[in-house]
């Protein structure tokens, strides 16, 4: 009986002592995965204000991002260097937003994303790693990474106005050929 109790105590201590190094190892694997990827294409599901939207996104680091929504307005979000626009193709309308107030600057810049991952709190949930971070002046973001290949699987945002946006990544394709011209912001009359 005493021997069994001793073995349990040793096992628990081993887990407690090794737990931080396991977390560090998982973060290291996630960071290596981020570091290997320059371009990404993926399908997505976005949920905000109980409205679900779908589409496809393209990312070319460090300054280019484009999402094409499957909606009646043919909405597109385009980031081209320091410009962020929402383009409603159907109506030929462009809405400009400051990139600095969005989360895209952290998502597109490897160095900033890796810093968020390194400083965030990691936990395991089902088949994902969750990393929670807070970005000053923007709010809280939780990144989801696949446990098997460490690819980004999505994120949840809670902005300073307490609005929540859930963004799930599906069917990811790493390092496709993407031209900078693909991310050009359209001109409208």
């Amino acid at each position: 009986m005493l021997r069994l109790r001793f073995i349990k105590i040793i096992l628990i201590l081993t887990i407690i002592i090794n737990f931080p190094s396991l977390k560090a190892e998982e973060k290291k694997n996630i960071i290596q995965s981020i570091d290997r990827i320059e371009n990404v294409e993926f399908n997505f599901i976005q949920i905000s204000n109980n409205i679900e939207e779908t589409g496809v996104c393209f990312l070319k680091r460090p300054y280019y991002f484009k999402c094409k929504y499957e909606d009646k307005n043919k909405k597109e979000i385009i980031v081209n260097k320091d410009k962020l626009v929402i383009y409603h193709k159907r109506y030929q309308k462009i809405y400009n937003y400051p990139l600095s107030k969005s989360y895209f600057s952290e998502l597109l810049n490897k160095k900033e994303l890796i810093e968020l991952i390194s400083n965030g709190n990691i936990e395991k949930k089902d088949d994902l790693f969750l990393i929670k971070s807070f970005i000053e002046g923007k709010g809280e973001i939780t990144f989801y990474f696949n446990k098997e290949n460490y690819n980004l699987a999505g994120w949840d945002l809670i902005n300073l106005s307490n609005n929540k946006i859930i963004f799930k990544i599906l069917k990811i394709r790493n390092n496709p050929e993407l031209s900078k011209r693909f991310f050009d912001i359209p001109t409208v009359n």
Side-chain angles (χ1 to χ4, degrees), residues 24-156:
E25 184 67 24
E26 301 305 348
K27 281 186 181 182
K28 178 182 163 196
N29 291 335
I30 289 168
I31 289 168
Q32 286 175 342
S33 174
I34 290 168
D35 212 27
R36 284 191 300 268
I37 299 169
E38 291 301 319
N39 304 332
V40 178
E41 176 184 342
F42 57 85
N43 293 52
F44 70 87
I45 298 171
Q46 177 182 306
I47 303 167
S48 58
N49 299 321
N50 295 320
I51 298 170
E52 186 173 298
E53 298 175 284
T54 60
V56 61
C57 290
F58 307 87
L59 178 144
K60 182 175 182 67
R61 287 204 170 100
Y63 305 114
Y64 303 96
F65 187 71
K66 184 176 198 173
C67 288
K68 295 180 174 187
Y69 287 75
E70 297 165 349
D71 65 356
K72 65 180 182 178
N73 296 330
K74 297 182 179 179
K75 178 172 70 173
E76 294 182 1
I77 293 177
I78 304 169
V79 176
N80 187 318
K81 295 185 182 170
D82 59 350
K83 294 180 180 160
L84 167 62
V85 301
I86 296 179
Y87 173 51
H88 290 270
K89 200 173 197 174
R90 179 178 179 189
Y91 301 110
Q92 295 292 301
K93 297 271 186 186
I94 292 181
Y95 303 93
N96 293 293
Y97 295 93
L99 183 62
S100 62
K101 297 211 185 278
S102 78
Y103 289 88
F104 290 116
S105 54
E106 286 82 12
L107 292 170
L108 296 175
N109 186 308
K110 267 190 204 184
K111 185 178 176 183
E112 290 181 33
L113 181 57
I114 288 171
E115 188 175 319
L116 284 175
I117 300 306
S118 297
N119 296 330
N121 297 320
I122 188 170
E123 62 183 71
K124 289 182 182 181
K125 183 178 180 186
D126 301 324
D127 59 342
L128 298 170
F129 294 111
L130 284 65
I131 300 181
K132 292 184 181 187
S133 294
F134 183 81
I135 303 172
E136 191 69 38
K138 294 181 183 178
E140 182 180 284
I141 186 166
T142 302
F143 296 101
Y144 297 91
F145 292 91
N146 184 300
K147 271 190 195 176
E148 291 182 25
N149 58 18
Y150 302 100
N151 279 337
L152 183 62
W155 56 83
D156 294 350

